[in-house]
């Protein structure tokens, strides 16, 4: 299922297709060579912004509109122009300009208080579904945990994948947890998801040995590496969700060490990590001594990205 458009019918502004097309072509032409060589695909972001605030579909951006065509926008064209200039001048993520991000089948609200969910993280849900499918013990997976939920993306993905399950969602940021709750309400999943404010497993005391699966995309970037990140990330996304300590593995160590106390025998632990951490994370899982069937999986770019292990 593709994310649905969020065109606000209460805020509709009409602009001629040719006028919008002229602005779009000028915006592309105005991108400097330096901007085009940057690590960010600004043309792709321009397309995303235009599609997000209009009734247009991707194919429309490749076709010159007719003289009579009228386009519906969520805002006046002048405001759209200002948003795009703000993106270029301030390195502000386009998702922050619109307050939305697409992830799997979801159209999520996002803000500076949460990490913008990445496409690669979507694979954590696929791995959870595969784990449940391939394990007799997880066929009736009834209790899952999402540690460090941020926008709530992983929790929503788990709730949708396992409609009979309860998902316990944890975050130490009240603002992030509120955002996750709003997103769950949008999709009618707030009754299936329980929200907890606190650090990692601390709010889950009393639920030991009950979880079918625990999933986390924890902070994993070494502190010294943070300033080298793209300005869109370093200047605007919460460092609380990025900073993994000196070697990037601070949160990972805690999760790997404590998860066996909360997993059922045969329960699965799924973790996302950064490029180059696979050997260290694999060693953490092995040395903990309570995991089996430890595997590392790549993302769509073939970068080792996910660790999977089952509680003995």
């Amino acid at each position: 299922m593709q994310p649905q458009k969020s065109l606000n019918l209460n805020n509709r502004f009409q602009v001629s297709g040719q006028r919008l097309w002229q602005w779009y072509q000028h915006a592309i032409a105005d991108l400097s060579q330096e901007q085009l060589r940057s690590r960010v695909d600004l043309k792709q972001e321009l397309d995303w912004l235009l599609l997000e605030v209009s009734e247009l579909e991707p194919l429309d951006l490749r076709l010159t509109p007719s003289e009579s065509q009228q386009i519906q926008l969520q805002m006046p064209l002048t405001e759209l122009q200002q948003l795009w200039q703000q993106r270029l001048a301030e390195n502000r993520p386009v998702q922050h300009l619109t307050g939305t991000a697409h992830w799997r089948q979801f159209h999520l609200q996002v803000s500076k208080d949460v990490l913008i969910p990445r496409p690669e993280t979507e694979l954590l849900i696929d791995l959870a579904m595969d784990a449940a499918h391939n394990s007799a013990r997880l066929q009736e997976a009834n209790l899952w945990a999402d540690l460090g939920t941020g926008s709530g993306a992983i929790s929503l993905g788990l709730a949708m994948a396992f409609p009979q399950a309860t998902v316990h969602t944890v975050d130490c940021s009240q603002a992030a947890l509120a955002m996750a709750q709003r997103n769950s309400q949008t999709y009618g999943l707030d009754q299936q998801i329980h929200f907890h404010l606190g650090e990692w497993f601390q709010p889950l005391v009393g639920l030991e040995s009950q979880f079918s699966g625990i999933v986390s995309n924890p902070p994993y970037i070494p502190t010294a590496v943070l300033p080298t990140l793209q300005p869109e990330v370093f200047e605007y996304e919460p460092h609380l969700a990025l900073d993994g300590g000196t070697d990037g593995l601070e949160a990972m160590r805690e999760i790997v060490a404590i998860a066996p106390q909360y997993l059922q025998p045969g329960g699965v632990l799924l973790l996302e990590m950064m490029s180059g951490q696979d050997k260290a994370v694999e060693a953490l899982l092995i040395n903990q001594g309570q995991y089996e069937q430890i595997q590392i999986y790549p993302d769509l770019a073939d970068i080792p990205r996910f660790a999977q292990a089952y509680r003995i």
Side-chain angles (χ1 to χ4, degrees):
M1 185 193 315
Q2 292 298 313
Q4 296 298 306
K5 286 259 198 162
S6 64
L7 192 60
N8 189 337
L9 298 180
N10 294 321
N11 295 309
R12 295 174 68 92
F13 296 87
Q14 202 170 73
V15 62
S16 74
Q18 289 201 332
R19 185 183 176 203
L20 184 63
W21 178 257
Q22 289 171 354
W23 171 76
Y24 173 65
Q25 293 300 317
H26 287 154
I28 294 172
D30 287 344
L31 290 174
S32 68
Q33 289 303 308
E34 180 180 349
Q35 289 169 328
L36 290 172
R37 288 193 299 266
S38 73
R39 289 179 290 175
V40 178
D41 189 336
L42 288 168
K43 165 62 165 58
Q44 187 178 62
E45 291 199 2
L46 175 62
D47 289 354
W48 187 92
L49 177 61
L50 184 53
L51 293 172
E52 189 71 359
V53 302
S54 74
E55 61 183 0
L56 296 173
E57 298 296 335
L59 180 61
D60 295 325
L61 299 184
R62 301 170 61 182
L63 304 173
T64 304
S66 66
E67 291 186 10
S68 61
Q69 186 176 358
Q70 297 292 311
I71 306 297
Q72 301 290 340
L73 298 178
Q74 285 186 9
M75 60 190 66
L77 180 57
T78 53
E79 188 174 330
L80 175 59
Q81 293 170 329
Q82 290 169 0
L83 279 183
W84 181 241
Q85 288 306 312
Q86 188 179 10
R87 166 68 187 93
L88 297 178
E90 301 176 12
N91 295 312
R92 190 179 299 274
V94 288
Q95 293 89 344
H96 285 181
L97 297 178
T98 64
T100 59
H102 294 182
W103 195 84
R104 289 183 76 88
Q105 68 264 57
F106 305 111
H107 196 196
L108 303 173
Q109 294 182 54
V110 296
S111 72
K112 61 181 178 59
D113 298 311
V114 301
L115 194 69
I116 297 169
R118 272 48 172 185
E120 57 266 26
T121 305
E122 296 181 8
L123 294 177
L124 278 174
I125 306 303
D126 295 322
L127 289 172
M129 294 170 68
D130 288 344
H133 178 75
N134 296 326
S135 171
R137 288 179 173 179
L138 294 179
Q139 290 297 321
E140 297 181 0
N142 291 320
L143 207 63
W144 287 81
D146 169 21
L147 304 181
T149 194
S151 66
I154 291 174
S155 289
L156 268 64
L158 291 171
M160 196 71 80
F162 304 108
Q164 304 305 316
T166 297
V167 181
H168 287 268
T169 296
V170 178
D171 205 288
C172 63
S173 164
Q174 181 67 68
L177 208 61
M179 181 70 71
Q181 287 178 297
R182 286 198 293 274
N183 283 324
S184 71
Q185 290 165 358
T186 297
Y187 288 93
L189 297 172
D190 48 312
Q191 298 302 309
Q192 192 181 344
I193 302 174
H194 296 180
F195 297 89
H196 305 275
L197 179 65
E199 293 274 354
W200 306 122
F201 292 96
Q202 175 265 321
L204 303 180
V205 171
L207 295 174
E208 291 85 351
S209 302
Q210 295 187 39
F211 286 93
S212 307
I214 295 171
V215 184
S216 184
N217 178 18
Y220 50 61
I221 299 174
T223 304
V225 175
L226 288 178
T228 71
L229 298 176
Q230 296 163 312
E232 293 83 357
V233 177
F234 180 70
E235 295 175 10
Y236 292 100
E237 298 207 65
H239 287 200
L240 187 66
L242 298 169
D243 192 343
T246 303
D247 63 356
L249 298 174
E250 186 176 296
M252 208 79 72
R253 286 193 186 88
E254 182 170 350
I255 294 170
V256 168
I258 300 176
Q261 299 176 31
Y262 287 84
L263 286 168
Q264 298 173 351
V268 67
L269 174 66
L270 287 164
L271 300 168
E272 181 172 330
M273 57 196 160
M274 75 178 290
S275 175
Q277 291 179 336
D278 52 307
K279 297 300 182 185
V281 173
E282 185 177 29
L284 287 176
L285 291 163
I286 292 171
N287 294 335
Q288 206 283 342
Q290 297 185 69
Y291 297 104
E292 62 182 359
Q293 301 180 57
I294 298 167
Q295 291 182 280
I296 304 296
Y297 290 98
D299 60 19
L300 295 177
D302 207 31
I303 296 170
R305 180 70 64 186
F306 310 103
Q308 176 181 284
Y310 291 85
R311 168 78 162 90
I312 295 174

